[in-house]
Amino acid sequence: MIQPSPLEKEFNSRDLQTKYRDIWSKGIHLFSVNDANRDFYYSIFYCDFLFAEVVYNKLNGEILGIKSFTDRAKLMYYLREDFS
């Protein structure tokens, strides 16, 4: 199991509003995934040397969570998985 980096711990400890502001002001949108099997929509950003996953509720547009990660295997999961 990969241990979270200090950057990842610091980012994930921020409140949701701060993470959202940082992603939209400093982040680069890489791609989005529409999970057709569930009511979720995932957007992946690159911000401050971290990947950030933003999970939206498709029904009401509410952000359910923002979490950073550095594990490339998780990034590859989103790229390879068939969400249709």
Side-chain angles (χ1 to χ4, degrees), residues 11 16-29 32 43 45-47 54 56 63 66:
F11 182 89
L16 188 64
Q17 189 173 21
T18 303
K19 289 185 219 179
Y20 181 80
R21 185 180 61 243
D22 288 347
I23 284 173
W24 286 107
S25 65
K26 299 187 284 185
I28 299 168
H29 179 258
S32 294
S43 288
F45 291 83
Y46 187 72
C47 180
V54 181
Y56 299 93
I63 295 176
I66 299 174

Side-chain angles (χ1 to χ4, degrees), residues 4-79:
S5 70
L7 283 174
E8 190 174 353
K9 287 180 184 177
E10 191 274 324
F11 182 89
N12 288 334
S13 68
R14 298 177 196 166
D15 64 279
L16 188 64
Q17 189 173 21
T18 303
K19 289 185 219 179
Y20 181 80
R21 185 180 61 243
D22 288 347
I23 284 173
W24 286 107
S25 65
K26 299 187 284 185
I28 299 168
H29 179 258
L30 300 177
F31 60 91
S32 294
V33 175
N34 181 8
D35 190 341
N37 299 318
R38 297 190 278 173
D39 295 329
F40 300 130
Y41 187 73
Y42 308 97
S43 288
I44 307 299
F45 291 83
Y46 187 72
C47 180
D48 293 335
F49 303 108
L50 298 167
F51 296 108
E53 167 191 48
V54 181
V55 181
Y56 299 93
N57 181 326
K58 286 193 288 190
L59 301 177
N60 61 14
E62 179 182 348
I63 295 176
L64 301 175
I66 299 174
K67 187 169 182 182
S68 69
F69 62 95
T70 54
D71 184 11
R72 287 183 298 212
K74 185 171 184 174
L75 181 65
M76 295 309 296
Y77 167 77
Y78 281 111
L79 291 171

